[in-house]
Amino acid sequence: MSLARRLIAAGFSDLEKGERFLAARELEGLDQDRLFAGLQLAASPDTALQSLVRLIEKHPQLRDLAAAEPEASEPMYRVLGASEALGEFLIRHPEHLEAFRVRASPEPLPADPGRLRATLLQSVGADPRAARPVASVTGVDAYAALRTAYRRGLVDLAVKDLCAADPLDFLPAVGGELADLAAAAIEAALAVSRAEAAEQHSPAEVADVGLAVIGMGKCGARELNYISDVDVIYVVEPGSLEDAHANTIGTALASGISRAISSVAREPGLWEVDANLRPEGKSGPLVRTLASHETYYARWAESWEFQALLKARAIAGDAALGQAYEDAVAPLIWNSAGREGFVESVQAMRRRVTEHIPVAEEQRQIKLGRGGLRDVEFTVQLLQLVHGKADESLRRRDTTSAIAALSAGGYIGRSDAAAFDNAYRYLRLLEHRIQLFQLRRTHLMPVAEPALRSLAKAVLGPFSNERPTPDSLLSAWQRTKRSVRELHERIFYRPLLNSAAKLSTEDARLTPEAAQGRLAALGYRDPQGAMRHIEALTAGVSRRAALQRQLLPILLDWLAEGVDPDAGLLAFRRISEALGTTHWYLGLLRDSNAAAERLCHMLSNSRLIADLLEVSPESVAWLGQDKDLLPLGFEAQWQEITAKMSRHSDPESAMRLIRLIRRREILRIAIADSAGLLDQDQVGRALADTDRAAVLGALRVAEGIVSAGGPLKTTVLVVAMGRQGGREIGYGSDADVMYVHRALPGFSDAEAQEQAARIVGKVSSLLTQPLKPAIMAERVLQMDADLRPEGKNGAMVRSLDSFAEYYRRWSLIWEAQALLRARPMAGDDTLAADFLALIDPIRYPESVSEQDVREIRRIKARVESERLPRGADPARHLKLGRGGLSDVEWLVQLLQLQHAGKHPELRTTSTLEALAAAAELGLLDAADAGLLAEAWRLASRIRSANVIWNGKASDLLPSSRRDLEAVARWCGYEPGHAAALEEDYLRVSRRARAVFERVFYGH
């Protein structure tokens, strides 16, 4: 075969130059077959041959590798044929040619980031183990050493990348190692900068200033290109210095990093260190403290800045400071999707990127053009920001991991995710190979045929048998671009609810003519008013309006299933207007039938939930996940309250947050109750936990107010009484309490009493006083201390000794009865234990005299005759009526007084637990106990349902058919079965009354 044919077969583009270089004296005597076998491995054999000749000229010992078996020479030929720039580097630094004397691995391992950091630091004479390394070399010598060490690392990586069996599979590791190498270079540059800054400032002051370098963009995400600007943000820690002086030193350190990386020197610069993503961009200071960053992002940052922060990662400098920055911005990133117009702003930004591409580059853009890398990145980042607030598995910086997480979470279909991932890797591989050739920052597809031919070969793995051509490369690229664009547009604008496909054409269109007739047929009492709400929600050409037009035909049906669809639609409109520009809201209704249906049923069946959702519409997000609806326990709420109190020292701010948490948790409990996730007992306990957390928070705030004027002189305990003590409250319950205190050592009883009175007075006012601005829709927690010794005539708070004296000398049987429900709620644990020890012998006596039993019966009869509201039907009064809550509770409490002294099983504040224990002990017939429990539960459920339905507390079984229907549905009855609830309650309460009279009065 002629030499020309051999050159053509090997893939040479310039035959004349190829022949001339093959005839160079540096190659004389080399085995031509092995030489050609090696050159055929190169993406550009022309470039490989030219670089090889020049290298042998500088380093003749390389001749043995040039003529070696392909297994040995493969790393050299692949690198020299893929990167002219790395060949030039090795010509300048032939001492690094040993990088080629490695065995190529088809499945290479990425370099250890710690080793890369150590290598770069050692190149400038810095100790990698130091907390803040300082170089022993400065100036151009340090810059050259750093850049040389970096490029040697680049050669090592290129060997692995170009010899990997599957370059697409290995691509994420390449991006990660490039980012790690860049981070190591910046760490070394910082060490040089510290040494240089110490020449201008006090070395001690320089050492005192901390600097964290935050990698942004592809470096932060560990998906860096071979050549790219490295986007950074600098965070400074002043240490013991004044902020202004520390910022001056920090600015010098940051400037020194850029100087070491990219200034003019005998070894060319690496890349630009770009700090333009910092707060205020080029107009802002180069470095800021962490607090300054937090203030900026909380007050002035734009939506795109949070999208950029998605990639933020500490890459160099003070690790603890970098981690603190990451921790500070993370909540801002994942809450940013709730900003007004966020989705639209992301979409607009993507359009602007495309529109600003120069016309001459538009068809060649791999990164910015339609179907390019930016389409993938914007789509993935938008989905991450939308869903990542609730799903932490999506909080990934790099694109390939994010695609995998989106697929695993069901946010992208498996086939779409696979196509997106493959396209992204292919486009990044093209970008890598193009940049690697000359180590120049470019994202354009080459136009020259030789360059296209080399690129087509470079993107294939070493085991590929394909013979790619420029046309096949361009065809594959165009197919990839079309796939990316289609996926981008489809995932950005996802299909609506599957239920929409089941609607008739008329219903789906929701025209005014069709809608009004349909609304009337569905049961809306004011079809014209409902239509006005629909028109307000669907007007315009916005994406929001389009989604509402397709959602409302489904939602109207679900709203109509409630008792008051008109009120439900009005509430839905108000919530939609509050959340309409928050993309997760309509996305939630679109993607989750359960969430949308739950929302509609709640809004048309519960004024309480509708009112609470209107003032805290972000809580709609809970509807998509049952786990988000599970009530927070007391410990979790108290932990949150404690954290907020630590950041808000003024009492009004602290109480606002405490009361907002209580309002939020009441809403969460009501929604979970509505969804059937909680039973009645769990609701009572959850509401009691919420009240307890709020009361404890108010107590701590009150103590803080009082102690501001002097030391605390006493400890205070709030004791829950009544249904609060039994943790059996409903949505309309007040808090029956007593207050106990004990003087601290060194203070008199009088001093302690006076201070305790001030503290408990503030507790009640803190929980009830109006705030500015008001907390809308709050169900204020009223504190009722009427069960204290001597009732309204007694002291609001007593010392433990005073309680002991009172109970020893004057306590009446009704007070012992009231103590049966006493449970420490908030305050000092030791005092709580001592108080229980005091009252247990009183409420659990060894015996009860017949006189005391008669007294209890007399008081009960008096309550029935005097406290029942005038005109109230005793058969319908849930609390004081026949067979109501009072009957069951008084009967149980009498049994506890008579027998708890001998039977510890009865020593509980819970009515139902005591009732079950009494039946277990044979003190009450099991059937009677079951009947009493049924009556008590149903009365309690109806009582809560009254509040849920109209937002107002009522102790009456409704007489209005509409109200009774709403209450019946909340109690679990099917629509249209209000009469069944009424019949059931009247029957079970009548029978419970008979049991009560027989057991309580002995009739």
Side-chain angles (χ1 to χ4, degrees):
M1 182 186 295
S2 67
L3 179 58
R5 286 185 174 276
R6 293 194 75 175
L7 290 170
I8 293 171
F12 277 77
S13 297
D14 190 334
L15 303 185
E16 182 183 349
K17 186 179 286 187
E19 289 182 359
R20 189 167 68 252
F21 271 86
L22 280 170
R25 60 182 177 79
E26 287 81 1
L27 301 183
E28 287 178 2
L30 292 185
D31 187 317
Q32 290 290 300
D33 290 336
R34 289 188 176 180
L35 185 61
F36 270 94
L39 291 169
Q40 284 179 320
L41 299 174
S44 171
D46 302 76
T47 304
L49 177 60
Q50 293 166 34
S51 296
L52 178 63
V53 170
R54 295 175 64 197
L55 279 167
I56 292 175
E57 179 186 8
K58 295 278 188 178
H59 196 70
Q61 294 91 330
L62 198 61
R63 283 170 52 87
D64 66 330
L65 189 59
E69 294 286 347
E71 290 80 8
S73 63
E74 180 181 3
M76 180 182 71
Y77 284 111
R78 289 199 182 279
V79 171
L80 296 181
S83 180
E84 184 180 69
L86 289 181
E88 292 288 344
F89 164 72
L90 291 168
I91 290 168
R92 294 195 304 273
H93 297 281
E95 68 273 16
H96 290 293
L97 284 169
E98 77 270 10
F100 291 152
R101 298 186 183 276
V102 295
R103 206 41 98 162
S105 171
E107 295 182 356
L109 297 176
D112 175 48
R115 184 182 65 78
L116 294 175
R117 177 180 180 274
T119 299
L120 269 292
L121 283 170
Q122 288 165 353
S123 73
V124 295
D127 183 0
R129 297 167 298 180
R132 291 176 178 169
V134 179
S136 60
V137 185
T138 59
V140 293
D141 291 337
Y143 308 162
L146 184 159
R147 298 170 190 181
T148 301
Y150 172 89
R151 289 196 169 97
R152 167 57 194 270
L154 214 56
V155 174
D156 292 338
L157 174 58
V159 168
K160 293 185 288 187
D161 185 11
L162 296 167
C163 295
D166 187 345
L168 291 177
D169 185 61
F170 191 58
L171 182 130
V174 174
E177 188 166 330
L178 284 166
D180 293 339
L181 194 55
I186 288 176
E187 190 77 81
L190 176 56
V192 174
S193 185
R194 281 194 176 279
E196 293 178 343
E199 297 170 2
Q200 304 298 321
H201 303 275
S202 161
E205 290 180 343
V206 173
D208 198 26
V209 174
L211 185 72
V213 184
I214 309 300
M216 303 290 286
K218 287 183 168 61
C219 186
R222 296 191 74 247
E223 51 186 14
L224 196 60
N225 296 330
Y226 272 99
I227 186 68
S228 172
D229 290 354
V230 173
D231 297 312
V232 299
I233 287 175
Y234 296 110
V235 188
V236 69
E237 172 55 58
S240 61
L241 304 183
E242 292 291 332
D243 282 4
H245 188 44
N247 285 347
T248 299
I249 294 175
T251 300
L253 293 176
S255 300
I257 290 174
S258 294
R259 189 167 57 248
I261 294 290
S262 57
S263 65
V264 176
R266 64 176 182 270
E267 180 65 23
L270 301 180
W271 20 258
E272 292 296 321
V273 181
D274 188 346
N276 289 337
L277 290 178
R278 66 186 185 271
E280 299 179 77
K282 292 180 180 179
S283 302
L286 186 59
V287 302
R288 287 175 183 258
T289 62
L290 178 59
S292 177
H293 278 97
E294 289 178 301
T295 300
Y296 174 84
Y297 289 125
R299 299 181 61 182
W300 296 296
E302 297 180 14
S303 294
W304 70 264
E305 293 178 272
F306 296 107
Q307 185 180 356
L309 285 172
L310 184 65
K311 306 291 187 181
R313 176 177 64 92
I315 61 171
D318 285 25
L321 180 58
Q323 185 61 54
Y325 177 92
E326 290 183 26
D327 294 342
V329 302
L332 304 176
I333 295 168
W334 302 114
N335 289 319
S336 65
R339 294 165 66 92
E340 184 175 352
F342 180 82
V343 172
E344 291 81 1
S345 70
V346 174
Q347 294 169 342
M349 184 182 295
R350 177 63 189 117
R351 288 193 295 271
R352 284 196 299 273
V353 170
T354 305
E355 291 165 0
H356 285 80
I357 300 172
V359 176
E361 296 181 0
E362 189 173 352
Q363 299 305 314
R364 297 174 56 202
Q365 266 286 347
I366 295 171
K367 177 180 179 180
L368 304 178
R370 293 169 60 87
L373 287 164
R374 276 291 186 263
D375 274 352
V376 181
E377 291 163 351
F378 266 73
T379 303
V380 171
Q381 289 167 22
L382 179 59
L383 289 178
Q384 284 182 278
L385 291 167
V386 168
H387 299 294
K389 179 180 179 181
D391 187 349
E392 294 187 8
S393 70
L394 303 184
R395 299 181 182 182
R396 313 294 181 88
R397 294 186 178 92
D398 69 286
T399 304
T400 54
S401 293
I403 292 172
L406 287 166
S407 177
Y411 302 99
I412 303 178
R414 290 187 181 90
S415 60
D416 287 350
F420 229 1
D421 180 76
N422 187 70
Y424 178 77
R425 290 173 188 250
Y426 179 72
L427 293 172
R428 287 301 306 276
L429 184 62
L430 287 174
E431 191 179 50
H432 278 195
R433 295 295 185 259
I434 292 168
Q435 293 181 350
L436 180 60
F437 189 73
Q438 291 185 324
L439 288 181
R440 289 182 182 172
R441 186 172 177 267
T442 179
H443 310 286
L444 300 178
M445 179 65 74
V447 292
E449 185 169 326
L452 287 172
R453 184 180 297 109
S454 297
L455 179 60
K457 187 175 181 181
V459 297
L460 298 177
F463 301 122
S464 173
N465 294 319
E466 292 182 42
R467 296 183 64 83
T469 64
D471 287 342
S472 67
L473 171 71
L474 294 175
S475 295
W477 178 43
Q478 293 299 330
R479 285 195 303 273
T480 302
K481 287 169 61 178
R482 286 193 296 270
S483 173
V484 167
R485 193 62 187 180
E486 186 271 329
L487 288 166
H488 168 73
E489 292 178 347
R490 180 152 53 83
I491 295 173
F492 245 21
Y493 305 96
R494 289 180 148 196
L496 296 175
L497 291 167
N498 291 334
S499 304
K502 302 175 184 177
L503 294 170
S504 68
T505 303
E506 273 192 356
D507 289 345
R509 286 176 180 164
L510 203 65
T511 59
E513 298 77 15
Q516 287 204 35
R518 182 168 175 240
L519 291 167
L522 286 172
Y524 287 80
R525 291 185 296 165
D526 182 8
Q528 289 186 344
M531 196 61 220
R532 285 194 295 272
H533 298 321
I534 293 170
E535 289 170 348
L537 289 166
T538 59
V541 296
S542 68
R543 175 167 170 74
R544 176 180 62 184
L547 285 173
Q548 289 280 18
R549 283 194 291 272
Q550 297 178 55
L551 282 169
L552 275 169
I554 306 161
L555 304 188
L556 290 172
D557 281 350
W558 287 333
L559 287 166
E561 293 172 3
V563 177
D564 192 347
D566 298 81
L569 181 56
L570 173 59
F572 178 77
R573 174 184 172 181
R574 288 173 175 168
I575 292 169
S576 294
E577 288 172 345
L579 289 173
T581 56
T582 305
H583 45 267
W584 63 259
Y585 168 62
L586 290 177
L588 177 70
L589 300 185
R590 176 197 61 203
D591 296 336
S592 170
N593 284 343
E597 190 169 5
R598 279 177 180 173
L599 179 64
C600 292
H601 289 170
M602 287 187 302
L603 295 181
S604 56
N605 284 308
S606 172
R607 174 71 179 274
L608 175 73
I609 295 177
D611 287 348
L612 288 171
L613 279 175
E614 286 180 25
V615 297
S616 53
E618 69 281 354
S619 301
V620 173
W622 299 336
L623 298 177
Q625 297 282 345
D626 285 355
K627 63 180 178 62
D628 293 333
L629 291 174
L630 296 178
L632 296 183
F634 167 76
E635 292 298 336
Q637 291 182 58
W638 180 239
Q639 185 177 8
E640 182 181 2
I641 287 172
T642 303
K644 291 187 182 298
M645 287 172 62
S646 69
R647 297 193 296 271
H648 298 82
S649 56
D650 62 296
E652 184 169 343
S653 296
M655 282 311 304
R656 171 176 295 280
L657 293 168
I658 290 167
R659 288 163 65 171
L660 284 171
I661 289 171
R662 179 173 177 270
R663 186 187 72 177
R664 181 196 70 197
E665 291 309 307
I666 289 174
L667 173 58
R668 191 196 305 271
I669 294 164
I671 294 174
D673 192 0
S674 172
L677 301 177
L678 302 176
D679 61 32
Q680 190 172 337
D681 296 344
Q682 291 171 320
V683 169
R685 290 193 292 270
L687 290 170
D689 280 346
T690 296
D691 284 355
R692 180 188 173 197
V695 170
L696 180 55
L699 176 60
R700 293 291 177 252
V701 172
E703 290 173 340
I705 295 172
V706 171
S707 65
L712 282 178
K713 302 172 183 178
T714 187
T715 57
V716 175
L717 172 69
V718 182
V719 180
M721 305 291 286
R723 290 169 69 88
Q724 185 74 243
R727 302 182 75 207
E728 297 167 335
I729 61 173
Y731 296 102
S733 296
D734 294 339
D736 291 321
V737 298
M738 291 197 306
Y739 298 106
V740 190
H741 82 98
R742 178 159 56 195
L744 291 170
F747 298 102
S748 68
D749 291 344
E751 288 177 303
Q753 178 67 31
E754 184 274 334
Q755 189 180 77
R758 284 194 289 136
I759 289 173
V760 301
K762 290 189 179 297
V763 168
S764 181
S765 64
L766 287 170
L767 288 166
T768 57
Q769 67 186 7
L771 298 174
K772 293 183 180 180
I775 298 178
M776 306 302 293
E778 180 190 19
R779 297 202 61 79
V780 173
L781 180 58
Q782 298 287 348
M783 306 290 280
D784 187 342
D786 288 353
L787 290 176
R788 66 187 183 272
E790 301 182 78
K792 294 181 179 179
N793 296 320
M796 183 65 73
V797 58
R798 289 174 179 264
S799 69
L800 183 65
D801 291 341
S802 176
F803 270 99
E805 179 69 11
Y806 177 86
Y807 287 136
R808 183 178 65 80
R809 298 179 61 183
W810 297 296
S811 176
L812 300 175
I813 190 63
W814 72 264
E815 292 173 305
Q817 180 185 354
L819 288 173
L820 288 167
R821 310 294 289 277
R823 177 179 59 86
M825 188 180 194
D828 183 74
D829 291 342
T830 303
L831 180 55
D834 292 344
F835 180 75
L836 290 178
L838 168 66
I839 67 172
D840 278 354
I842 300 168
R843 60 180 175 174
Y844 307 135
E846 288 298 317
S847 63
V848 177
S849 69
E850 186 59 34
Q851 180 181 352
D852 284 341
V853 173
R854 285 197 299 271
E855 177 65 9
I856 290 172
R857 289 170 176 164
R858 185 191 67 79
I859 296 173
K860 176 67 168 81
R862 181 180 172 186
V863 167
E864 289 181 10
S865 63
E866 295 181 2
R867 293 186 58 191
L868 191 69
R870 181 178 298 178
D873 182 354
R876 304 183 77 88
H877 201 281
L878 303 167
K879 182 177 181 181
L880 302 175
R882 294 192 292 266
L885 297 169
S886 177
D887 282 357
V888 177
E889 290 169 358
W890 279 68
L891 186 153
V892 169
Q893 290 161 16
L894 177 59
L895 291 175
Q896 287 180 287
L897 287 169
Q898 291 174 317
H899 303 285
K902 295 185 176 65
H903 298 288
E905 301 94 319
L906 291 169
R907 298 176 187 177
T908 174
T909 61
S910 165
T911 298
L912 293 178
E913 289 178 9
L915 190 59
E920 190 72 25
L921 291 167
L923 303 175
L924 196 62
D925 181 78
D928 289 345
L931 180 62
L932 291 171
E934 181 184 359
W936 188 92
R937 285 184 184 280
L938 186 55
S940 297
R941 187 68 172 161
I942 293 170
R943 208 172 177 216
S944 282
N946 282 333
V947 180
I948 287 289
W949 162 236
N950 59 28
K952 299 176 183 178
S954 172
D955 287 327
L956 290 174
L957 177 68
S959 299
S960 158
R961 292 296 97 181
R962 189 158 172 264
D963 293 345
L964 190 63
E965 175 69 20
V967 168
R969 294 194 188 189
W970 189 264
C971 292
Y973 288 76
E974 291 296 320
H977 286 69
L981 167 65
E982 186 175 42
E983 293 169 6
D984 286 347
Y985 178 74
L986 294 176
R987 172 182 50 80
V988 73
S989 61
R990 184 173 61 249
R991 294 173 62 196
R993 178 66 182 188
V995 172
F996 169 78
E997 291 182 347
R998 172 164 45 84
V999 177
F1000 188 84
Y1001 288 119
H1003 293 168

